[in-house]
Amino acid sequence: MKKYKFLSIANDIGLGIWFTVGSILFLWHSTQTAGTILFILGSVQLLGRPILKLMHAFFVRKNSQRSQSAFH
């Protein structure tokens, strides 16, 4: 379970970096394309949050079903 929490925090840090650097690069015309690419990467990375939550929920459910069946 700590693995998912770590991945979630790492994902959030990555998001912050992409959007912060992208915003700075977007200030100058010569670097707007690079800024746009970072915005796109950050937007795609936003999909990581619900995917991680689904993986975590599935993992917890699967493990709880295994532990319940082991006791029966």
Side-chain angles (χ1 to χ4, degrees):
M1 297 215 212
K2 289 183 180 182
K3 173 175 67 172
Y4 293 101
K5 188 169 186 165
F6 173 78
L7 288 173
S8 178
I9 291 169
N11 185 56
D12 288 348
I13 290 170
L15 281 168
I17 291 169
W18 294 137
F19 282 110
T20 301
V21 174
S23 297
I24 292 167
L25 292 176
F26 213 72
L27 292 173
W28 299 278
H29 184 69
S30 62
T31 57
Q32 282 183 354
T33 301
T36 301
I37 291 169
L38 291 178
F39 287 152
I40 292 169
L41 286 173
S43 297
V44 170
Q45 194 172 348
L46 279 173
L47 291 171
R49 283 180 168 191
I51 290 170
L52 283 171
K53 286 181 182 181
L54 283 173
M55 287 173 55
H56 182 257
F58 178 75
F59 177 75
V60 168
R61 184 172 151 225
K62 187 176 178 182
N63 279 344
S64 69
Q65 287 176 347
R66 277 188 190 163
S67 64
Q68 286 177 358
S69 65
F71 290 115
H72 288 80

